[in-house]
Amino acid sequence: MKSFAFVFPGQGSQAVGMLDAWGDHPTVAETLREASEALGEDVGALIKNGPKEELALTTNTQPVMLVAGVAAWRAWLAEGGAAPSVVAGHSLGEYSALVASGVLTLAQAAPLVRFRAQAMQQAVPVGVGAMAAVLGMESGKVVAGCAEATASFGSGSAEIVEAVNFNDPMQTVIAGSKAAVDKACELLKANGAKRALLLPVSAPFHSSLMKPAAEALREKLASITLATPQIPVLNNIDVAIETDADRIRDALVRQAAGPVRWVESVQALKLRGVAAIIECGPGKVLAGMVKRISPDLEAASVYDPATLADTRQSLAG
């Protein structure tokens, strides 16, 4: 069998009914029951019925995406899928990866990501921050454009914009205060970016404006016992594999207010010798990024029984 990695998606891949294709798969049903108990609400009903606006609230999106990723992971194992040689996650998806690795239980992780979401939402009032996707420009130029936009407000200004998600060689997400993000979009388009699109999000995730959320998360994580990873987990704040509980906690804290280094993460997975990177959870966003970052890697997604069977077959081949 080919060596492969599993990666878990974060916010943005959620959709009403995203687990419907699993039908009454017992492992998926049990995962939903476990998460519902941990959160004190019917997570399955929220995923199945929405509405979309409710699912899109950060405090709901983070727990449901965690649960959806873990459900697909457990279904993979239940259907005889082999364990990957390494796991990783995009932003929030790192928590799904930590559950897959055994560092966190789902009962620990579900309330933790809801706390994370609440802390992020409270760090910056709605409307004060913004995020935008910059397409068709190399990331170094995006970083420089953000610095230029921030500097344009003067040295004493609180306005700031930073590159926060390095998604593929020609797609970088920026975040910060609304005025600075707008200024950066204007500058970057003038400097050759094909597009700079504001994203429909409620907070400037992964920017330094999230530092209050990171500190709240530090306190919360201090009270949570982490187990030793059973599968190596590559984090995306340092692009590193940690086994020490305190170092894993510290990386999660810094990740909340630091950039998602996805391009480097995929390159690091490749350097570990994987031939395929499998996205585990709703959608195909990460699989698409993998192909743009490293076209020679095999990329696939596991989000329903059909894709699970197809992926098992392709890995065996």
Side-chain angles (χ1 to χ4, degrees), residues 39-116:
L39 290 168
E41 67 178 88
D42 190 340
V43 177
L46 176 61
I47 292 172
K48 187 174 183 61
N49 304 318
K52 181 181 177 183
E53 296 73 25
E54 196 73 16
L55 209 61
L57 293 172
T58 294
T59 50
N60 287 330
T61 308
Q62 295 202 23
V64 300
M65 282 303 298
L66 168 84
V67 172
V70 172
W73 162 254
R74 290 178 172 179
W76 169 264
L77 295 180
E79 298 300 324
S85 60
V86 57
V87 293
H90 188 284
S91 183
L92 163 73
E94 195 163 297
Y95 288 79
S96 304
L98 289 165
V99 173
S101 176
V103 174
L104 289 166
T105 65
L106 181 58
Q108 288 176 312
L112 176 60
V113 298
R114 171 151 285 169
F115 176 89
R116 177 182 186 264

Coordinates of all heavy atoms in Angstrom, one line a residue, residues 39-116:
L39 N -21.7 18.5 23.9 CA -22.1 19.9 23.7 C -23.4 20.3 24.3 O -23.8 21.4 24.3 CB -22.1 20.2 22.2 CG -20.7 20.3 21.5 CD1 -20.8 20.3 20.0 CD2 -19.9 21.5 22.0
G40 N -24.2 19.2 24.7 CA -25.5 19.5 25.3 C -26.5 20.0 24.3 O -27.4 20.7 24.6
E41 N -26.4 19.5 23.0 CA -27.4 19.9 22.0 C -27.3 18.8 20.9 O -26.4 18.1 20.8 CB -27.1 21.3 21.4 CG -25.8 21.4 20.6 CD -25.6 22.7 20.0 OE1 -25.0 23.6 20.7 OE2 -26.0 22.9 18.9
D42 N -28.3 18.8 20.0 CA -28.4 17.8 18.9 C -27.6 18.3 17.7 O -28.1 19.1 16.9 CB -29.9 17.6 18.6 CG -30.0 16.4 17.6 OD1 -29.0 16.0 17.0 OD2 -31.2 15.9 17.6
V43 N -26.3 17.9 17.7 CA -25.5 18.3 16.6 C -25.9 17.7 15.3 O -25.9 18.4 14.2 CB -24.0 17.9 16.9 CG1 -23.1 18.2 15.7 CG2 -23.5 18.5 18.2
G44 N -26.4 16.5 15.3 CA -26.9 15.9 14.1 C -28.0 16.7 13.4 O -28.1 16.8 12.2
A45 N -28.9 17.2 14.2 CA -30.1 18.0 13.7 C -29.6 19.3 13.1 O -30.1 19.7 12.0 CB -31.1 18.2 14.8
L46 N -28.6 19.9 13.7 CA -28.1 21.1 13.2 C -27.4 20.9 11.9 O -27.6 21.7 10.9 CB -27.0 21.7 14.2 CG -26.3 23.0 13.8 CD1 -27.2 24.1 13.5 CD2 -25.2 23.4 14.8
I47 N -26.6 19.8 11.7 CA -26.0 19.5 10.5 C -27.0 19.1 9.4 O -26.9 19.6 8.2 CB -24.9 18.4 10.7 CG1 -23.8 18.9 11.5 CG2 -24.4 17.9 9.3 CD1 -22.8 17.8 11.9
K48 N -28.0 18.4 9.8 CA -29.0 17.9 8.8 C -29.9 19.0 8.3 O -30.2 19.1 7.1 CB -29.8 16.7 9.4 CG -30.7 16.1 8.4 CD -31.4 14.9 9.0 CE -32.3 14.1 8.0 NZ -31.5 13.6 6.9
N49 N -30.4 19.8 9.2 CA -31.4 20.8 8.9 C -31.0 22.2 8.8 O -31.7 23.1 8.3 CB -32.5 20.7 10.0 CG -33.1 19.3 10.1 OD1 -33.3 18.6 9.1 ND2 -33.3 18.8 11.4
G50 N -29.8 22.6 9.4 CA -29.4 23.9 9.4 C -30.2 24.8 10.3 O -30.5 24.4 11.4
P51 N -30.7 25.9 9.9 CA -30.5 26.5 8.5 C -29.0 26.9 8.3 O -28.2 27.0 9.2 CB -31.4 27.7 8.5 CG -31.5 28.1 9.9 CD -31.4 26.9 10.7
K52 N -28.8 27.3 7.0 CA -27.4 27.6 6.6 C -26.8 28.7 7.4 O -25.6 28.7 7.8 CB -27.5 28.0 5.1 CG -26.2 28.4 4.5 CD -26.3 28.8 3.0 CE -25.0 29.3 2.4 NZ -25.2 29.7 1.0
E53 N -27.6 29.7 7.7 CA -27.1 30.9 8.5 C -26.7 30.4 9.9 O -25.7 30.9 10.5 CB -28.2 31.9 8.6 CG -28.6 32.6 7.3 CD -29.5 31.7 6.4 OE1 -30.1 30.7 7.0 OE2 -29.4 31.9 5.2
E54 N -27.4 29.5 10.5 CA -27.1 29.0 11.8 C -25.8 28.2 11.8 O -24.9 28.3 12.6 CB -28.2 28.1 12.3 CG -28.2 27.8 13.8 CD -28.6 29.0 14.6 OE1 -29.2 29.9 14.1 OE2 -28.3 28.9 15.9
L55 N -25.6 27.4 10.7 CA -24.4 26.6 10.5 C -23.2 27.4 10.3 O -22.1 27.0 10.6 CB -24.7 25.6 9.3 CG -23.9 24.3 9.3 CD1 -24.3 23.4 10.5 CD2 -24.2 23.5 8.0
A56 N -23.4 28.6 9.7 CA -22.3 29.5 9.3 C -21.8 30.3 10.5 O -20.8 31.0 10.4 CB -22.7 30.4 8.2
L57 N -22.6 30.3 11.6 CA -22.1 31.0 12.8 C -20.8 30.3 13.3 O -20.8 29.1 13.5 CB -23.1 31.0 13.9 CG -24.4 31.8 13.6 CD1 -25.4 31.6 14.7 CD2 -24.1 33.3 13.5
T58 N -19.8 31.1 13.5 CA -18.5 30.5 13.9 C -18.6 29.5 15.1 O -18.0 28.5 15.1 CB -17.5 31.6 14.3 OG1 -17.2 32.3 13.1 CG2 -16.2 31.1 14.8
T59 N -19.5 29.9 16.1 CA -19.6 29.0 17.3 C -20.3 27.7 17.0 O -20.2 26.8 17.7 CB -20.4 29.8 18.4 OG1 -21.6 30.3 17.8 CG2 -19.6 30.9 19.0
N60 N -20.9 27.6 15.8 CA -21.5 26.3 15.4 C -20.6 25.7 14.3 O -20.4 24.5 14.3 CB -22.9 26.5 14.7 CG -23.9 26.8 15.8 OD1 -23.8 26.4 16.9 ND2 -25.0 27.6 15.4
T61 N -20.0 26.5 13.4 CA -19.2 25.9 12.3 C -18.0 25.1 12.9 O -17.7 24.0 12.4 CB -18.6 27.1 11.4 OG1 -19.7 27.9 11.0 CG2 -17.9 26.5 10.2
Q62 N -17.3 25.7 13.9 CA -16.1 25.0 14.4 C -16.5 23.6 15.0 O -15.9 22.6 14.6 CB -15.4 25.9 15.4 CG -14.8 27.1 14.7 CD -13.6 27.8 15.4 OE1 -12.9 27.1 16.2 NE2 -13.4 29.1 15.1
P63 N -17.5 23.5 15.8 CA -17.8 22.1 16.3 C -18.3 21.2 15.2 O -18.0 20.0 15.2 CB -18.9 22.4 17.4 CG -18.8 23.8 17.8 CD -18.2 24.5 16.6
V64 N -19.2 21.7 14.3 CA -19.7 20.8 13.3 C -18.7 20.3 12.3 O -18.7 19.1 11.9 CB -21.0 21.3 12.6 CG1 -22.1 21.7 13.6 CG2 -20.6 22.5 11.7
M65 N -17.7 21.1 12.0 CA -16.7 20.7 11.1 C -15.7 19.7 11.8 O -15.3 18.7 11.2 CB -15.8 21.9 10.6 CG -16.6 22.7 9.5 SD -17.0 21.6 8.0 CE -15.4 21.1 7.5
L66 N -15.5 19.9 13.1 CA -14.7 18.9 13.9 C -15.4 17.6 13.8 O -14.8 16.5 13.5 CB -14.6 19.4 15.3 CG -14.1 18.3 16.3 CD1 -12.6 18.3 16.3 CD2 -14.6 18.6 17.7
V67 N -16.7 17.6 14.1 CA -17.5 16.3 14.2 C -17.6 15.6 12.8 O -17.4 14.4 12.7 CB -18.9 16.6 14.7 CG1 -19.8 15.4 14.6 CG2 -18.9 17.1 16.1
A68 N -17.7 16.4 11.8 CA -17.8 15.8 10.4 C -16.5 15.2 10.0 O -16.5 14.1 9.4 CB -18.2 16.9 9.4
G69 N -15.4 15.8 10.4 CA -14.1 15.2 10.1 C -13.8 14.0 10.8 O -13.4 12.9 10.3
V70 N -14.2 14.0 12.1 CA -14.0 12.8 13.0 C -14.9 11.7 12.5 O -14.5 10.5 12.5 CB -14.2 13.2 14.5 CG1 -14.2 11.9 15.3 CG2 -13.1 14.1 14.9
A71 N -16.1 12.0 12.1 CA -17.1 11.0 11.7 C -16.5 10.2 10.4 O -16.6 9.0 10.4 CB -18.4 11.6 11.4
A72 N -16.0 11.0 9.5 CA -15.4 10.4 8.3 C -14.2 9.5 8.6 O -14.0 8.5 8.1 CB -15.0 11.5 7.3
W73 N -13.4 10.0 9.6 CA -12.2 9.3 10.0 C -12.6 8.0 10.6 O -12.0 6.9 10.3 CB -11.4 10.2 11.0 CG -10.4 9.4 11.9 CD1 -10.6 9.1 13.2 CD2 -9.2 8.9 11.5 NE1 -9.5 8.4 13.6 CE2 -8.6 8.3 12.6 CE3 -8.5 8.9 10.2 CZ2 -7.4 7.6 12.6 CZ3 -7.2 8.2 10.2 CH2 -6.7 7.6 11.3
R74 N -13.6 8.0 11.5 CA -14.0 6.8 12.2 C -14.7 5.8 11.2 O -14.5 4.6 11.4 CB -14.9 7.1 13.4 CG -14.2 7.8 14.5 CD -15.2 8.2 15.6 NE -14.6 8.7 16.8 CZ -15.2 9.1 17.9 NH1 -16.6 9.0 17.9 NH2 -14.6 9.5 19.0
A75 N -15.4 6.3 10.3 CA -16.0 5.5 9.3 C -14.9 4.8 8.4 O -15.0 3.6 8.1 CB -16.9 6.3 8.4
W76 N -13.9 5.5 8.1 CA -12.7 5.0 7.4 C -12.2 3.8 8.1 O -11.9 2.7 7.5 CB -11.7 6.1 7.2 CG -10.3 5.6 6.7 CD1 -9.2 5.3 7.4 CD2 -10.0 5.4 5.3 NE1 -8.2 4.9 6.6 CE2 -8.6 5.0 5.3 CE3 -10.6 5.5 4.1 CZ2 -7.9 4.7 4.1 CZ3 -10.0 5.2 2.9 CH2 -8.6 4.8 2.9
L77 N -11.9 3.9 9.4 CA -11.4 2.8 10.2 C -12.3 1.7 10.3 O -12.0 0.5 10.2 CB -11.0 3.3 11.6 CG -9.9 4.4 11.7 CD1 -9.6 4.7 13.1 CD2 -8.6 3.9 11.0
A78 N -13.6 2.0 10.5 CA -14.7 1.0 10.6 C -14.8 0.1 9.4 O -15.1 -1.1 9.4 CB -16.0 1.6 11.0
E79 N -14.5 0.7 8.2 CA -14.6 0.0 6.9 C -13.3 -0.7 6.5 O -13.2 -1.1 5.4 CB -15.1 1.0 5.8 CG -16.5 1.6 6.1 CD -17.6 0.6 6.1 OE1 -17.5 -0.4 5.4 OE2 -18.5 0.8 6.9
G80 N -12.4 -0.7 7.5 CA -11.1 -1.4 7.2 C -10.0 -0.6 6.6 O -9.0 -1.1 6.2
G81 N -10.2 0.7 6.6 CA -9.1 1.6 6.1 C -7.9 1.6 7.0 O -8.0 1.5 8.2
A82 N -6.7 1.6 6.3 CA -5.5 1.6 7.1 C -5.2 2.9 7.7 O -5.7 4.0 7.3 CB -4.3 1.2 6.2
A83 N -4.4 2.9 8.8 CA -4.0 4.2 9.4 C -3.0 4.9 8.5 O -2.1 4.3 8.0 CB -3.5 4.0 10.8
P84 N -3.1 6.2 8.4 CA -2.1 7.0 7.6 C -0.8 7.1 8.4 O -0.7 6.8 9.6 CB -2.7 8.4 7.5 CG -3.6 8.5 8.7 CD -4.1 7.1 9.0
S85 N 0.3 7.5 7.7 CA 1.6 7.6 8.4 C 1.7 8.9 9.1 O 2.5 9.1 10.0 CB 2.7 7.5 7.4 OG 2.6 8.5 6.4
V86 N 0.8 9.9 8.8 CA 0.9 11.2 9.4 C -0.5 11.9 9.2 O -1.1 11.6 8.2 CB 2.1 12.1 8.8 CG1 2.0 12.2 7.3 CG2 2.2 13.4 9.5
V87 N -0.9 12.8 10.1 CA -2.1 13.5 9.9 C -1.8 15.0 10.1 O -0.8 15.4 10.7 CB -3.2 13.1 10.9 CG1 -3.7 11.7 10.6 CG2 -2.8 13.2 12.3
A88 N -2.7 15.9 9.5 CA -2.6 17.3 9.7 C -4.0 17.9 9.4 O -4.9 17.2 9.0 CB -1.6 17.9 8.7
G89 N -4.1 19.2 9.7 CA -5.4 19.8 9.5 C -5.2 21.3 9.2 O -4.3 21.9 9.6
H90 N -6.2 21.8 8.4 CA -6.1 23.2 8.0 C -6.8 24.0 9.0 O -8.0 23.9 9.2 CB -6.8 23.4 6.6 CG -6.6 24.8 6.0 ND1 -7.3 25.9 6.5 CD2 -5.8 25.2 5.1 CE1 -7.0 26.9 5.8 NE2 -6.0 26.6 4.9
S91 N -6.1 24.9 9.8 CA -6.7 25.7 10.8 C -7.4 24.8 11.8 O -6.8 24.0 12.5 CB -7.6 26.8 10.2 OG -8.1 27.6 11.1
L92 N -8.7 25.0 11.9 CA -9.6 24.3 12.8 C -9.4 22.8 12.6 O -9.5 22.0 13.6 CB -11.0 24.7 12.6 CG -12.1 23.7 13.1 CD1 -12.2 23.8 14.6 CD2 -13.4 24.0 12.5
G93 N -9.1 22.3 11.4 CA -9.0 20.9 11.1 C -7.9 20.2 11.9 O -7.9 19.0 12.0
E94 N -6.9 21.0 12.4 CA -5.9 20.4 13.3 C -6.5 19.8 14.5 O -5.9 18.8 15.0 CB -4.9 21.5 13.7 CG -3.6 21.0 14.2 CD -2.5 22.0 14.2 OE1 -2.1 22.5 13.1 OE2 -2.0 22.4 15.3
Y95 N -7.6 20.3 15.0 CA -8.2 19.6 16.1 C -8.8 18.3 15.8 O -8.7 17.3 16.5 CB -9.3 20.5 16.7 CG -8.8 21.7 17.4 CD1 -8.3 22.8 16.7 CD2 -8.7 21.8 18.8 CE1 -7.8 24.0 17.4 CE2 -8.1 22.9 19.5 CZ -7.7 24.0 18.7 OH -7.1 25.0 19.4
S96 N -9.4 18.1 14.6 CA -9.8 16.8 14.1 C -8.6 15.9 14.0 O -8.7 14.7 14.3 CB -10.5 17.0 12.7 OG -11.6 17.9 12.7
A97 N -7.5 16.4 13.5 CA -6.3 15.6 13.4 C -5.8 15.1 14.7 O -5.4 13.9 14.9 CB -5.2 16.4 12.7
L98 N -5.9 15.9 15.7 CA -5.5 15.6 17.1 C -6.4 14.5 17.7 O -6.0 13.6 18.4 CB -5.5 16.8 18.0 CG -4.3 17.8 17.7 CD1 -4.5 19.1 18.4 CD2 -3.0 17.2 18.1
V99 N -7.7 14.5 17.3 CA -8.6 13.5 17.7 C -8.3 12.2 17.0 O -8.2 11.1 17.6 CB -10.1 13.9 17.5 CG1 -11.1 12.7 17.8 CG2 -10.5 15.1 18.3
A100 N -8.0 12.3 15.7 CA -7.6 11.1 15.0 C -6.4 10.4 15.5 O -6.2 9.2 15.6 CB -7.4 11.4 13.5
S101 N -5.5 11.3 16.0 CA -4.2 10.8 16.5 C -4.3 10.3 18.0 O -3.4 9.7 18.5 CB -3.2 11.9 16.5 OG -2.0 11.5 17.1
G102 N -5.5 10.6 18.6 CA -5.7 10.1 20.0 C -5.2 11.1 21.1 O -5.2 10.8 22.3
V103 N -4.7 12.3 20.6 CA -4.3 13.3 21.6 C -5.4 13.9 22.4 O -5.3 14.1 23.6 CB -3.5 14.4 20.8 CG1 -3.2 15.6 21.8 CG2 -2.3 13.9 20.2
L104 N -6.5 14.1 21.7 CA -7.8 14.6 22.3 C -8.9 13.5 22.1 O -8.9 12.9 21.0 CB -8.2 15.9 21.7 CG -7.4 17.2 22.0 CD1 -7.8 18.3 21.0 CD2 -7.6 17.6 23.4
T105 N -9.8 13.4 23.0 CA -11.0 12.6 22.7 C -12.0 13.6 22.0 O -11.9 14.8 22.2 CB -11.6 12.1 24.0 OG1 -12.1 13.2 24.8 CG2 -10.7 11.2 24.8
L106 N -13.0 13.1 21.4 CA -14.0 13.9 20.8 C -14.8 14.7 21.9 O -15.1 15.8 21.7 CB -15.0 13.1 19.9 CG -16.1 13.9 19.2 CD1 -15.6 15.0 18.3 CD2 -17.0 12.9 18.5
A107 N -15.0 14.0 23.0 CA -15.7 14.7 24.1 C -14.9 15.8 24.7 O -15.5 16.8 25.2 CB -15.9 13.6 25.3
Q108 N -13.6 15.8 24.6 CA -12.7 17.0 25.0 C -12.8 18.0 23.9 O -12.9 19.2 24.1 CB -11.3 16.5 25.2 CG -11.0 15.7 26.4 CD -9.5 15.3 26.4 OE1 -9.0 14.8 25.4 NE2 -8.9 15.5 27.5
A109 N -12.6 17.6 22.6 CA -12.4 18.5 21.5 C -13.6 19.3 21.2 O -13.5 20.5 20.8 CB -11.9 17.7 20.3
A110 N -14.8 18.7 21.2 CA -16.0 19.5 20.8 C -16.3 20.7 21.6 O -16.4 21.8 21.1 CB -17.2 18.5 20.8
P111 N -16.3 20.6 23.0 CA -16.4 21.9 23.8 C -15.2 22.8 23.6 O -15.4 24.0 23.7 CB -16.5 21.4 25.2 CG -16.8 19.9 25.1 CD -16.2 19.4 23.8
L112 N -14.0 22.2 23.4 CA -12.8 23.1 23.3 C -12.9 23.9 22.0 O -12.6 25.1 22.1 CB -11.6 22.2 23.2 CG -10.3 22.9 23.0 CD1 -10.0 23.9 24.1 CD2 -9.1 21.8 22.9
V113 N -13.4 23.4 20.9 CA -13.4 24.2 19.7 C -14.6 25.2 19.7 O -14.5 26.3 19.2 CB -13.5 23.3 18.4 CG1 -12.3 22.5 18.2 CG2 -14.7 22.5 18.3
R114 N -15.6 24.8 20.5 CA -16.7 25.8 20.7 C -16.2 27.0 21.5 O -16.4 28.2 21.2 CB -17.9 25.2 21.3 CG -19.0 26.3 21.7 CD -20.4 25.8 21.7 NE -20.9 25.6 20.4 CZ -22.0 25.0 20.1 NH1 -22.7 24.4 21.1 NH2 -22.5 24.9 18.9
F115 N -15.4 26.7 22.5 CA -14.8 27.7 23.3 C -13.8 28.6 22.5 O -13.8 29.8 22.5 CB -14.0 27.1 24.5 CG -13.2 28.1 25.3 CD1 -13.8 28.7 26.4 CD2 -11.9 28.5 25.0 CE1 -13.1 29.7 27.2 CE2 -11.2 29.4 25.7 CZ -11.8 30.0 26.8
R116 N -13.0 27.9 21.6 CA -12.1 28.6 20.7 C -12.9 29.6 19.8 O -12.5 30.7 19.6 CB -11.4 27.6 19.9 CG -10.5 28.1 18.8 CD -9.9 26.9 18.0 NE -8.8 27.3 17.0 CZ -9.1 27.5 15.7 NH1 -10.3 27.4 15.3 NH2 -8.1 27.7 14.9

